[in-house]
Amino acid sequence: MLQCETLWTGADLVTLKDGKYHLIRQGAIAVAGERIVWVGEEQNAGHCQPQHVKRLNGGIITPGLVDCHTHLVFGGDRSGEFEMRLNGASYAEIAASGGGIISTVNATRQASEAELLATARERLRCLRQEGVTTLEIKSGYGLESDSELRMLRVIRQLAQLEPVDIQATFLAAHAVPPEYQNNADGWIDYICQTLLPAAHREGLVDAVDGFCEHLAFSPQQITRVFNTARELNLPVKLHAEQLSSLGGSSLAARYQAISADHLEYATEDDVIAMAQSGTVAVLLPGAYYMLRETQMPPVELFRKHGVPMALASDLNPGTSPVLSLRLILNMACTLFRMTPEEALAGVTLWGAKALGREHECGSLEAGKLASFVHWPVKQPAELAYWLGGQLPCQVVYRGESV
């Protein structure tokens, strides 16, 4: 007999094994401690000996959702410049009036650790209420030592305070800070020689990211950051090919990056390089939508070459103020022509792989964490179909209802 604490029954299981629905009608999940110990049809669960049986009234169970790319910790907001832009102001005029990323940098620097924590918790709860049990949060709005470290400490605090698994990504190579405006190489020097090693020593970094773009950092500058990350034995990922084709995703692949993100201008050579390195493509339809872009990421090429496609909210104050990962499912289907099955895999198994956590979460399989969501719907496609409102889902995190 299989001893377990809880046997969950009464719903269909959308296991997402191998990135496919792999639907189990009238399924059951056996949980012991924080782990799934058995998954299958309820009629085959006779060998399970649970202490408790939780019987659900229909619906479906999916793995807990994974939001693998967010900038959730920041000060202030940019709703004012959003309104200015829609009233005809140019990006140059907005920047000249103190808008743009520097406005977020200033607000983040001025915010206390307690203020950053409080506002981040509010945003995080919106994601959690829609089934997110794992997410990544980046630094990158401090752009100086104290503020970057403060952001990373807040990320660690969130993981202690909220029932969700959180990975912290070091993104000081996000933009050139005002103090280094004409000396981007000097900022990269400081990141590599001082800031990243300090954050690593404090145990604040799970991965290292950068923004490879003509308005941010060159492939050569990102290479220096990646070399430092390699010396510290930290995995890397990269914002690449969002606004132009610089070969950033191929660079990421050469460093066996766990993901390359955005990718609207990725070429077939980039995609082939990612396929060979096992790098996940993280697509971010929220930013595409907010910026009213027209260049779609090469979804067909990712399919052709077998590159897994993850999806994420890209929650940030400037280009993707998205508080719903379920909305991202719909955007991916309508804007990028992904199928509902591809989209759901993108916020479960492939989102987990984009964090290097596919062996821990992202599908309903024995041995993985017992983090899953019960949804009051009949078909998994409904998660991408319904717009607005909030499906009253039940979230189980590491074996406990939250």
Side-chain angles (χ1 to χ4, degrees):
M1 298 295 286
L2 179 64
Q3 302 292 325
C4 60
E5 292 169 12
T6 308
L7 185 69
W8 294 79
T9 69
D12 296 336
L13 309 183
V14 187
T15 68
L16 272 303
K17 182 181 178 182
D18 302 321
K20 303 296 183 183
Y21 285 153
H22 284 293
L23 192 67
I24 299 176
R25 297 291 184 187
Q26 287 301 303
I29 302 174
V31 175
E34 297 187 339
R35 301 274 170 177
I36 296 171
V37 293
W38 181 81
V39 175
E41 295 181 1
E42 183 179 351
Q43 65 182 11
N44 296 328
H47 67 296
C48 296
Q49 190 168 8
Q51 297 175 21
H52 308 282
V53 175
K54 300 277 190 178
R55 182 152 192 89
L56 302 165
N57 186 25
I60 65 172
I61 294 176
T62 69
L65 304 189
V66 180
D67 196 348
C68 64
H69 180 134
T70 85
H71 305 255
L72 185 141
V73 175
F74 56 85
D77 69 79
R78 305 249 285 279
S79 59
E81 68 183 65
F82 171 69
E83 186 170 20
M84 290 172 63
R85 189 161 63 246
L86 292 174
N87 279 316
S90 69
Y91 283 97
E93 291 169 336
I94 291 170
S97 68
I101 189 172
I102 296 303
S103 69
T104 298
V105 170
N106 290 333
T108 302
R109 289 180 177 183
Q110 292 166 14
S112 68
E113 193 167 303
E115 290 168 335
L116 290 175
L117 181 63
T119 55
R121 288 187 80 177
E122 291 176 5
R123 292 186 280 266
L124 177 55
R125 284 169 183 163
C126 292
L127 295 174
R128 284 206 309 101
Q129 287 167 3
E130 287 202 336
V132 172
T133 57
T134 303
L135 80 159
E136 179 249 30
I137 306 175
K138 305 177 191 293
S139 71
Y141 286 126
L143 303 187
E144 53 89 24
S145 182
D146 288 346
S147 298
E148 283 292 305
L149 294 174
R150 185 161 66 248
M151 289 185 71
L152 291 165
R153 292 184 192 116
V154 166
I155 295 169
R156 288 292 193 235
Q157 288 180 63
L158 285 168
Q160 296 297 317
L161 293 170
E162 297 287 340
V164 60
D165 291 319
I166 299 176
Q167 294 202 190
T169 295
F170 178 92
L171 182 58
H174 190 198
V176 180
E179 296 84 355
Y180 288 82
Q181 199 56 56
N182 297 310
N183 186 19
D185 281 325
W187 176 238
I188 295 295
D189 287 341
Y190 184 74
I191 288 172
C192 295
Q193 296 169 13
T194 304
L195 187 50
L196 178 52
H200 181 253
R201 281 194 302 272
E202 201 173 322
L204 298 175
V205 183
D206 298 314
V208 175
D209 197 350
F211 189 15
C212 186
E213 194 57 73
H214 60 85
L215 50 68
F217 298 100
S218 69
Q220 294 75 21
Q221 291 166 330
I222 294 297
T223 295
R224 293 163 58 197
V225 175
F226 280 5
N227 283 338
T228 302
R230 178 177 283 177
E231 292 169 4
L232 297 172
N233 199 31
L234 290 168
V236 298
K237 55 182 67 179
L238 189 64
H239 290 62
E241 270 70 67
Q242 180 184 10
L243 304 172
S244 62
S245 179
L246 289 183
S249 43
S250 291
L251 167 65
R254 288 197 296 275
Y255 281 82
Q256 289 76 50
I258 50 178
S259 75
D261 304 32
H262 286 291
L263 302 172
E264 280 85 340
Y265 286 85
T267 67
E268 187 159 15
D269 286 343
D270 294 325
V271 175
I272 291 170
M274 291 174 62
Q276 292 173 344
S277 67
T279 300
V280 176
V282 177
L283 308 185
L284 305 170
Y288 178 92
Y289 168 82
M290 282 292 290
L291 293 174
R292 292 182 286 186
E293 296 287 355
T294 56
Q295 176 81 19
M296 283 176 49
V299 170
E300 283 298 337
L301 291 178
F302 295 133
R303 289 174 177 147
K304 174 183 175 182
H305 294 287
V307 175
M309 292 180 286
L311 294 167
S313 69
D314 191 18
L315 171 55
N316 75 74
T319 61
S320 190
V322 174
L323 295 172
S324 169
L325 194 56
R326 198 166 59 80
L327 177 60
I328 291 296
L329 293 177
N330 181 273
M331 286 185 174
C333 295
T334 56
L335 298 178
F336 293 166
R337 307 295 189 265
M338 292 175 67
T339 67
E341 184 176 53
E342 287 175 328
L344 188 56
V347 297
T348 51
L349 185 61
W350 304 137
K353 185 174 175 62
L355 297 178
R357 290 180 55 84
E358 69 273 24
H359 302 298
E360 286 285 289
C361 60
S363 61
L364 300 177
E365 297 182 76
K368 293 195 175 184
L369 290 169
S371 295
F372 48 85
V373 189
H374 175 243
W375 305 90
V377 299
K378 295 180 179 179
Q379 303 295 334
E382 289 187 64
L383 300 181
Y385 167 75
W386 292 109
L387 281 173
Q390 188 176 79
L391 296 177
C393 60
Q394 179 180 359
V395 179
V396 175
Y397 170 70
R398 291 181 174 245
E400 299 290 336
S401 293
V402 295

